[in-house]
Amino acid sequence: EHVNFGYSGSHGPDHWAENYDTCVGKHQSPINIQEHDVRDINLPLLIFSGLDTPRKFFLINNGHTALLYSSKDNKQFYMSGGPLNGIYVFEQLHFHWGENDREGSEDLINNHSFAMELHAVFYKDKYGSMNDAIHNPDGLAVIAFFFEAEVNDRANPLFDTIVEALPKIEKVGTEIQLSENMHLGHLLNPAGPPSDRMQNYFTYNGSLTTPPCSEVVTWIDFKYPLYLSHLQIAAFRNIRGFEGHKLTHNFRPVQPLSDRRVLHNLP
Ligand code: 1SD
Ligand code: ZN
């Protein structure tokens, strides 16, 4: 197993630029979103299509995160509108977490770290694939959901299928098909689309939060968090990374905002 990057020690974020120049770029992610510095704006409606179809999903431990993807022939989950020009096709979703519930998100809001962050990665349809899209400034769009630990420690049943499958992908490179077809619409938007919740987001131009840190991502961060129980979040910390240690944290520290301005779409 070849470790190309990690989250601590000699492979940690401070060393990424040694192998990947872009990681010291001026428009990197994640960032700390300061609400008093954002510009309120009314963007066109952010539109999702194909959210309502339950799909077969695969869960994989790639050594950096737990990642879900749907079968390749199945490209019916699209996003458009909002800050985006053109149509973006869903590729995969994955998670970032920390050693405890007080850290774990990549972007912060008013210096606040959430316990976890979900990224659903989309590439621009006209570029045809993730690999080609990544070479274009408007190539990718990532929607981010923050998670808090439920104060009453209630589990979120919508995430049970994923959480229960995590022990089966403990080792790097392992992959399983989820036992139940998943309904992304329910998972990401329990209130049922379209709703104001999905129109209340921050958006800015940034990068992949992992090497090669390409500055090609339109970030869309939903303001209101989702909830999981403490135990559901803790289950993610048990999957293993490259050296066989538990992957206890996999978030990149915040990067300078530089000359960028974060927009806040008013629902
Ligand atoms: O960390 C992910 C990485 O796993 C990969 O999915 C990449 C896209 O190729 O995106 C980054 S992130 O910026 O979505 N965290
Ligand atoms: Zn991510």
Side-chain angles (χ1 to χ4, degrees), residues 5 7 29 62 64-65 67 91-96 106 117-121 130-131 134 140-143 207-214 217 219 250:
F5 73 91
Y7 288 92
S29 295
N62 68 5
H64 308 297
T65 186
L67 184 150
E91 172 80 7
Q92 46 102 337
L93 67 86
H94 62 267
F95 299 87
H96 299 269
E106 297 212 293
E117 188 172 333
L118 179 160
H119 289 159
V121 181
M130 191 74 189
N131 283 346
I134 213 161
L140 301 183
V142 181
I143 58 174
S207 72
L208 296 178
T209 64
T210 55
C213 307
S214 320
V217 181
W219 282 94
N250 63 354

Side-chain angles (χ1 to χ4, degrees), residues 65-190:
T65 186
L67 184 150
L68 286 129
Y69 67 92
S70 194
S71 54
K72 288 292 169 199
D73 50 310
N74 198 343
K75 297 281 187 187
Q76 290 96 279
F77 180 29
Y78 296 108
M79 170 170 67
S80 62
L84 307 169
N85 288 310
I87 292 170
Y88 286 72
V89 186
F90 174 73
E91 172 80 7
Q92 46 102 337
L93 67 86
H94 62 267
F95 299 87
H96 299 269
W97 58 85
E99 292 192 29
N100 57 62
D101 297 346
R102 292 180 307 280
E103 61 172 39
S105 68
E106 297 212 293
D107 281 334
L108 311 183
I109 299 185
N110 303 330
N111 296 299
H112 176 76
S113 291
F114 296 83
M116 198 157 85
E117 188 172 333
L118 179 160
H119 289 159
V121 181
F122 294 70
Y123 64 84
K124 194 165 185 166
D125 192 30
K126 76 167 186 191
Y127 299 126
S129 74
M130 191 74 189
N131 283 346
D132 292 322
I134 213 161
H135 301 293
N136 297 277
D138 60 349
L140 301 183
V142 181
I143 58 174
F145 291 86
F146 300 111
F147 290 83
E148 295 277 35
E150 230 289 328
V151 272
N152 300 314
D153 214 27
R154 268 189 308 236
N156 179 341
L158 299 172
F159 283 82
D160 274 346
T161 312
I162 298 172
V163 170
E164 284 163 14
L166 290 169
K168 298 179 194 140
I169 58 149
E170 237 174 51
K171 277 183 60 191
V172 176
T174 47
E175 171 167 356
I176 59 152
Q177 189 189 317
L178 290 186
S179 57
E180 277 177 68
N181 281 3
M182 244 183 19
H183 193 289
L184 277 184
H186 288 169
L187 195 68
L188 304 182
N189 187 25

